[in-house]
Amino acid sequence: MVGLIPIIVLAGTGCGEGGELLEAALGEAPSALEAGNALNPNALNPNALNPNALNPNGLAVGALSFNALGSQALTAILDPGPNGALSREHLRYAVECALDSSQSFRFGWFDASGVYHDEIYTGVLGLARSWAWAPLVGEEQRWVSACLAARTNYYRVPVLLSSRGPTKAINKQNTPELFTFTREEGAFWGNIYGSSPALYACHVPENDAASRAALRDCAAGHIDQTTGSIQPCGAIQRLGSCDTYCDPIAPKNGIYHPSCFTDPANRSATMNLQPITVFLE
């Protein structure tokens, strides 16, 4: 790797080196919004990547030296082994959650055989666009965390879904999605980037069988065929019914839970205002 230092690039649409590749990736964004939801549960390990280490130091477009990345994140995404693959998958989904389709993140790494790989991760949802010029903090960490949880699939297969929440990026009010995706799977919230990393999910008991049939088990709960017990979905803690752990669906505001909490007896202290409610067809 001596003398072959990969370049880290944050770019806008058509800007900077690789504009043609970015344009091709952007063309896939609409389908990725609903279909690209197959994050490996193991990639939710909060120690896999520290988003605060990916601060591009105020440069929305341009090349960053390796010194602009924290050592933990740099080591994680350049690792040629299995842990590196999980870290890159985590980063790709985080970029898709945080940035919008005009933004992208580009870097390169070498595999164990010395082959160079050029990666371009393009945004989709735009839940934390400011990650292009500042670290993820506060509610941005919670939005990206909830998005990662919602896009995790126990079987690692893509499933069409509608992600909704109390923020402009995923407020689907007055859109066809409300009439196409009508069966609530559950809600996801938490923060894997804070001082006490944690992710939570609630489910809709009457829809669990249909969710499992659609290969969506992280809210409904994956049933072990041998023991009949509910198996965990990575770092996601399945709490119980959304009727118990979230405020009621707000139909006039896009059909989503406006807030959820980990302790119904102590709502004010455990409330999260950045939950993502998922609906299936």
Side-chain angles (χ1 to χ4, degrees):
M1 291 179 60
V2 176
L4 293 172
I5 301 178
I7 293 177
I8 307 293
V9 176
L10 276 161
T13 305
C15 296
E17 189 177 70
E20 295 180 359
L21 290 175
L22 293 181
E23 184 177 355
L26 293 182
E28 300 173 1
S31 61
L33 175 61
E34 293 301 332
N37 303 288
L39 178 62
N40 184 341
N42 293 325
L44 287 176
N45 178 2
N47 295 319
L49 196 64
N50 177 5
N52 289 300
L54 290 172
N55 177 10
N57 297 332
L59 295 178
V61 179
L64 304 177
S65 72
F66 268 10
N67 291 331
L69 287 173
S71 59
Q72 181 184 10
L74 180 60
T75 300
I77 65 174
L78 298 185
D79 183 349
N83 289 335
L86 288 175
S87 295
R88 288 185 291 276
E89 183 177 5
H90 180 127
L91 175 59
R92 177 169 65 85
Y93 274 87
V95 167
E96 290 182 358
C97 288
L99 304 185
D100 67 20
S101 59
S102 70
Q103 301 170 298
S104 63
F105 186 81
R106 183 177 187 175
F107 70 100
W109 60 282
F110 291 88
D111 63 25
S113 299
V115 177
Y116 181 76
H117 298 263
D118 187 28
E119 304 275 358
I120 301 177
Y121 301 156
T122 301
V124 175
L125 290 176
L127 288 166
R129 294 182 66 253
S130 63
W131 197 19
W133 57 84
L136 289 176
V137 295
E139 68 176 52
E140 294 174 338
Q141 291 183 354
R142 294 189 289 273
W143 276 124
V144 174
S145 296
C147 178
L148 288 172
R151 303 185 75 196
T152 300
N153 185 285
Y154 187 93
Y155 303 98
R156 296 197 66 194
V157 297
V159 177
L160 284 171
L161 55 83
S162 176
S163 297
R164 308 171 191 171
T167 185
K168 182 179 179 180
I170 54 172
N171 187 329
K172 309 299 176 65
Q173 189 173 11
N174 300 322
T175 66
E177 275 187 44
L178 299 185
F179 306 99
T180 304
F181 296 83
T182 57
R183 188 176 67 250
E184 182 188 355
E185 173 193 28
F188 301 85
W189 68 96
N191 189 349
I192 57 174
Y193 303 125
S195 57
S196 300
L199 288 174
Y200 305 97
C202 66
H203 65 115
V204 181
E206 60 268 30
N207 293 339
D208 283 351
S211 295
R212 293 184 182 116
L215 301 181
R216 287 283 297 180
D217 283 10
C218 290
H222 177 73
I223 300 176
D224 185 280
Q225 297 301 311
T226 301
T227 65
S229 61
I230 299 292
Q231 300 298 305
C233 191
I236 301 173
Q237 301 178 46
R238 181 175 176 270
L239 296 180
S241 170
C242 293
D243 286 343
T244 300
Y245 287 92
C246 297
D247 283 326
I249 288 284
K252 293 183 179 180
N253 296 321
I255 308 184
Y256 53 72
H257 293 286
S259 59
C260 297
F261 24 86
T262 57
D263 182 0
N266 193 9
R267 292 163 55 105
S268 60
T270 64
M271 182 173 290
N272 184 293
L273 300 177
Q274 289 79 37
I276 289 181
T277 308
V278 172
F279 279 77
L280 304 175
E281 289 184 290

